[in-house]
Structure formats: C-alpha cells, structure tokens
C-alpha cells in the first residue's frame, strides 16, 4: 500500500457492487477526488465525490471465521452506495498499517467501526487537532434563525389592537351597489 501511494497519486480499486450490471465497480481514489465507475441497466456512469464529503476511514471487524477475525478498511460516506472498501484481511497489524496509510493519504478522520451503522472517531497521534470535529457552538441554530444577535438585547414589541374601519354597506369593492 505505501509503495502504491508513493508511486502514483491515483489508486484504482475494483470492488463488488450488487446493483451494477457485472456486479463490479471500479473506484479511483486520489487526494483530489474519489471517482466511482459502474454500469447500471446498460448505462455507464461515473460519480466524482470530493474526499471531504466522506465521514472518514473506518477499521471494522466484519466476521469471525475459524477463530480468526476478518477486518475491513472502508472509506465511509453517509450514503452507503458511495462507501468504498479500501482493503480487507485477517492480519490485524497489516490492516491497521493500511488503515493509517489511508488516513494519512486522504487526510480524513480515523474511525473505528463499532457496528454496521455506528463509527467512532479515533485519535491516532495523541494531539491530532486537524482531524477533530468542531465542538457545538453556544447559540443553538433555532435561536440564530429567529433573530439576529444585536436584536436579542432589545425587548420585543407588543401586539396592537386591530384598527376597526367604518365601511359604508352601500359600497362594494368594484363600485356602487346601484351601478350594475
């Protein structure tokens, strides 16, 4: 893996895709973009996704066979169709090394797969400030949308009583009652 990253800026991966025509898709992973190519119903398509659109790179345990765990490194997206398997195997040290290389190559957060749906962020280097997710701000979004900050100091105005208009019942909106 490390020699592949140094040798080229784009890494091609062939992965299984049950919804494509030939049950395969080709994924080109580069620092600038991830391109997914496949054919569905005879129509070839290519989807280009920015790496920043991905949640991170997850290391997961996918199964247990003959008393050995099976591990997978996956580029995780909110849409499961855009998630990309980057590697798999039974050797934890090799898979973990590959996981760290992908994290360094793409600059995405490292995730540990707890379940199929839940991935937890992992701090690989102690003080890894550039990959942490930002903390929530003090003001909630509901308050921010309602009123601008400088208006929060002012008191809200009260409701006024509606004005009552004196209308002559002989006048209609389009003229006199006797016109037509």
């Amino acid at each position: 893996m490390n020699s592949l990253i140094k040798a080229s800026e784009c890494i091609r991966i062939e992965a299984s895709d049950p919804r494509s025509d030939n049950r395969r898709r080709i994924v080109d992973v580069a620092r600038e973009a991830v391109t997914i190519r496949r054919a569905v119903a005879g129509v070839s398509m290519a989807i280009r996704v920015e790496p920043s659109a991905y949640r991170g790179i997850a290391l997961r345990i996918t199964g247990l066979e003959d008393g050995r765990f099976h591990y997978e490194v996956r580029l995780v997206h909110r849409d499961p169709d855009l998630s990309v398997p980057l590697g798999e195997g039974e050797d934890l040290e090799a898979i973990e090394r590959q996981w760290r290389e992908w994290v360094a190559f793409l600059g995405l957060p490292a995730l540990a797969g707890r379940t199929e749906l839940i991935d937890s962020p992992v701090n690989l280097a102690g003080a890894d400030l550039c990959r942490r997710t930002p903390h929530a701000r003090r003001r909630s979004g509901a308050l921010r949308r309602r009123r601008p900050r400088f208006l929060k100091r002012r008191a809200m105005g009260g409701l006024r009583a509606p004005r009552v208009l004196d209308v002559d019942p002989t006048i209609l909106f389009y003229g006199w009652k006797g016109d037509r």
Side-chain angles (χ1 to χ4, degrees):
M1 171 65 192
N2 196 5
S3 61
L4 287 175
I5 291 176
K6 289 181 180 178
S8 105
E9 287 293 318
C10 182
I11 298 155
R12 180 163 283 196
I13 299 169
E14 191 171 328
S16 67
D17 187 358
R19 293 183 3 180
S20 69
D21 290 345
N22 59 356
R23 303 259 187 244
R24 305 297 290 166
R25 66 178 167 178
I26 296 172
V27 181
D28 294 328
V29 181
R31 292 186 209 282
E32 308 86 37
V34 176
T35 306
I36 301 170
R37 292 173 176 36
R38 68 181 187 174
V40 177
V43 178
S44 297
M45 64 177 73
I47 302 168
R48 183 180 170 126
V49 182
E50 295 293 321
S52 60
Y54 285 91
R55 289 182 27 222
I57 299 171
L59 175 63
R60 294 182 179 161
I61 298 173
T62 57
L64 178 66
E65 295 177 14
D66 300 328
R68 296 183 60 138
F69 288 110
H70 190 76
Y71 301 98
E72 178 187 47
V73 176
R74 178 175 283 272
L75 185 58
V76 181
H77 194 274
R78 286 179 194 87
D79 182 5
D81 283 342
L82 296 178
S83 293
V84 177
L86 299 173
E88 58 185 338
E90 293 180 354
D91 184 14
L92 178 60
E93 291 177 13
I95 291 296
E96 186 177 350
R97 186 173 44 251
Q98 191 177 19
W99 175 51
R100 289 175 184 269
E101 289 173 0
W102 278 113
V103 168
F105 178 68
L106 293 174
L108 293 173
L111 304 173
R114 303 292 182 214
T115 65
E116 282 289 321
L117 302 174
I118 300 171
D119 295 312
S120 301
V122 176
N123 191 353
L124 292 178
D128 199 10
L129 298 177
C130 65
R131 294 189 190 112
R132 287 196 335 208
T133 55
H135 293 290
R137 303 292 181 225
R138 288 183 183 175
R139 295 177 55 217
S140 69
L143 291 177
R144 194 170 0 134
R145 282 187 291 264
R146 205 168 26 190
R147 296 187 76 197
R149 186 188 67 193
F150 76 95
L151 290 177
K152 288 191 177 296
R153 295 180 295 226
R154 299 181 182 177
M156 292 289 293
L159 293 174
R160 295 181 184 163
R163 291 191 296 170
V164 178
L165 299 175
D166 224 3
V167 179
D168 186 6
T170 60
I171 299 176
L172 294 177
F173 290 104
Y174 297 107
W176 293 98
K177 190 176 184 179
D179 281 352
R180 293 188 181 143

